Amino acid sequence: MDREALLCLKSNLSDPRGALATWSKNASLDFCQWHGVSCSKRHAQRRVVALDLEGEGLAGQLPPCISNLTSLARIHLANNRLTGGVPPELGLLAGPRYLDLSHNALGGKIPANLSSCSGLEVHKQGVALGRSVDLSKFRDYDELKAELDKMFEFDGELVSSSKNWQIIYTNNEVDMMLVEDDQWE
C-alpha cells in the first residue's frame, strides 16, 4: 500500500534532478530505502513515517494519494517548486507531527481539516518563544505578524523582512505547520 502511494506521488511530480530515481515499480530496492523515505521499525509491516525531500527541485501539485501514507508523521518538502494548494486529504492522516511546505509556490487556504490547529508558537532560529493565539481571528499574515510583534514586544523585529523569524502553528498533539502569507490568499 505505501509503495503504491509513493509511486503515485512520484507520478504526479516533475523530478528534473532525479531525486526520486530510486522510486521504481521494478526496483528490487525496498521502498523504505528509497531516497527521502523513512519507515517505522516497530511494525512487522514496515510503514512510511517520514518524507524528507527538501530542496530537491520537485515540481507539480501534491496529489491526494499522499494521504494513503497513513502512518506519515513527518512531511518535509520545503524549498521545492510545488504548486497548487495543500491537498485537503492531508487532514485525513492520523497525525502528521511535522509539516513543512515552505518556500514553494503553493497557494490557497490551509485546508479546514488542518487549519483547526489553533495553537501558534513563534520560533527564532529553532528556539520556541512560547504563547498561543487563535489563527482564525486574523485577516491575513501581515495582521498576524503585527499582533505577535506587539504581543511579544519585539519593537518591529518580527515584521522586519531582514530578520530570521518563522511562525509555526501546532495543535494539542504537537502537529506543526509553518505559517506564511500564502495561507490567507
Side-chain angles (χ1 to χ4, degrees), residues 117-151:
C117 306
S118 61
L120 179 126
E121 292 181 1
V122 177
H123 289 235
K124 184 174 185 184
Q125 298 173 347
V127 177
L129 300 177
R131 279 212 202 153
S132 183
V133 297
D134 184 355
L135 287 178
S136 65
K137 71 180 201 175
F138 301 101
R139 285 184 309 236
D140 59 28
Y141 186 62
D142 290 334
E143 186 177 297
L144 169 67
K145 284 177 31 177
E147 177 63 27
L148 291 173
D149 190 79
K150 189 166 97 178
M151 181 187 295

Side-chain angles (χ1 to χ4, degrees), residues 37-48:
V37 175
S38 298
C39 291
S40 64
K41 295 180 173 124
R42 287 185 264 173
H43 303 98
Q45 181 184 11
R46 309 239 346 223
R47 301 302 308 267
V48 175

Side-chain angles (χ1 to χ4, degrees), residues 67-138:
S67 67
N68 293 336
L69 298 168
T70 57
S71 296
L72 200 55
R74 176 182 168 85
I75 304 170
H76 190 78
L77 297 170
N79 298 306
N80 281 291
R81 295 179 301 148
L82 301 175
T83 58
V86 176
E89 290 81 4
L90 278 180
L92 300 174
L93 295 174
R97 292 184 183 89
Y98 177 89
L99 175 62
D100 188 348
L101 301 172
S102 63
H103 305 288
N104 280 290
L106 294 168
K109 295 182 181 244
I110 298 170
N113 46 3
L114 288 176
S115 64
S116 61
C117 306
S118 61
L120 179 126
E121 292 181 1
V122 177
H123 289 235
K124 184 174 185 184
Q125 298 173 347
V127 177
L129 300 177
R131 279 212 202 153
S132 183
V133 297
D134 184 355
L135 287 178
S136 65
K137 71 180 201 175
F138 301 101

Side-chain angles (χ1 to χ4, degrees), residues 3-78:
R3 180 186 199 89
E4 289 77 23
L6 291 169
L7 291 171
C8 173
L9 179 61
K10 178 184 178 179
S11 72
N12 282 276
L13 297 175
S14 170
D15 180 25
R17 296 184 193 162
L20 307 179
T22 58
W23 297 28
S24 171
K25 271 186 208 178
N26 303 322
S28 60
L29 189 63
D30 174 21
F31 68 87
C32 292
Q33 295 177 354
W34 290 355
H35 177 72
V37 175
S38 298
C39 291
S40 64
K41 295 180 173 124
R42 287 185 264 173
H43 303 98
Q45 181 184 11
R46 309 239 346 223
R47 301 302 308 267
V48 175
V49 295
L51 289 177
D52 288 296
L53 295 162
E54 179 179 9
E56 297 288 2
L58 301 174
Q61 295 187 7
L62 288 174
C65 60
I66 193 170
S67 67
N68 293 336
L69 298 168
T70 57
S71 296
L72 200 55
R74 176 182 168 85
I75 304 170
H76 190 78
L77 297 170

